Amino acid sequence: MTHSVLIVEDDDSIVEALNFLMETAGFDVRIAREGPKAIELVKEAIPDVMILDVMLPGCDGFEVARNIRSHQASEHIPILMLTAKNRPIDQEKAHEIGVTAFMTKPFSTREVVDKVKEMLNS
């Protein structure tokens, strides 16, 4: 079975890198470049996992995660939050919302793939 991943990121170079990595790892990939589009895509088809940036146009990653967690159909989606901010307050906020894992940029491509696979297997 092919797992689906929703990449929510507005930086083109990161989108390209994550898309390539996830497709190479065998995932079916969808991409949203802004918060509201991510919420819309989740309503259309629930992904198996989400890679979510914090800083997004429209609404930030925290708001997207809060929205995803507030609906029974999507509350279970594992969310890997990516951010350039490494402040403990951001990690606490992510944890309170129910984000599964938190990774800071720049990140190792291998780490991202491994973390997504780990989240799907837990």
Side-chain angles (χ1 to χ4, degrees):
M1 179 182 109
T2 303
H3 286 290
S4 61
V5 61
L6 175 58
I7 297 169
V8 187
E9 171 64 64
D10 63 332
D11 183 306
D12 289 339
S13 60
I14 295 174
V15 168
E16 285 180 34
L18 289 172
N19 187 39
F20 176 78
L21 286 167
M22 294 298 128
E23 285 183 345
T24 301
F27 291 95
D28 176 34
V29 177
R30 290 186 304 153
I31 296 165
R33 296 176 189 272
E34 55 187 40
K37 182 66 176 176
I39 293 167
E40 181 184 316
L41 288 177
V42 169
K43 288 178 182 172
E44 289 174 12
I46 305 285
D48 294 312
V49 67
M50 179 185 290
I51 299 174
L52 178 62
D53 186 22
V54 171
M55 304 297 285
L56 294 166
C59 63
D60 69 18
F62 295 115
E63 188 62 34
V64 172
R66 211 175 276 112
N67 185 289
I68 299 306
R69 292 289 183 247
S70 71
H71 298 285
Q72 190 172 1
S74 59
E75 67 184 7
H76 68 282
I77 301 170
I79 300 173
L80 171 57
M81 187 167 265
L82 298 177
T83 182
K85 296 180 178 181
N86 192 15
R87 300 181 317 184
I89 188 91
D90 293 323
Q91 292 187 32
E92 287 172 27
K93 189 174 180 180
H95 181 73
E96 287 172 13
I97 294 169
V99 168
T100 314
F102 195 89
M103 196 173 283
T104 55
K105 298 175 187 175
F107 50 82
S108 150
T109 54
R110 166 68 45 214
E111 277 184 274
V112 172
V113 173
D114 289 347
K115 181 54 78 176
V116 167
K117 289 179 178 178
E118 177 188 313
M119 288 168 35
L120 285 168
N121 292 326
S122 57

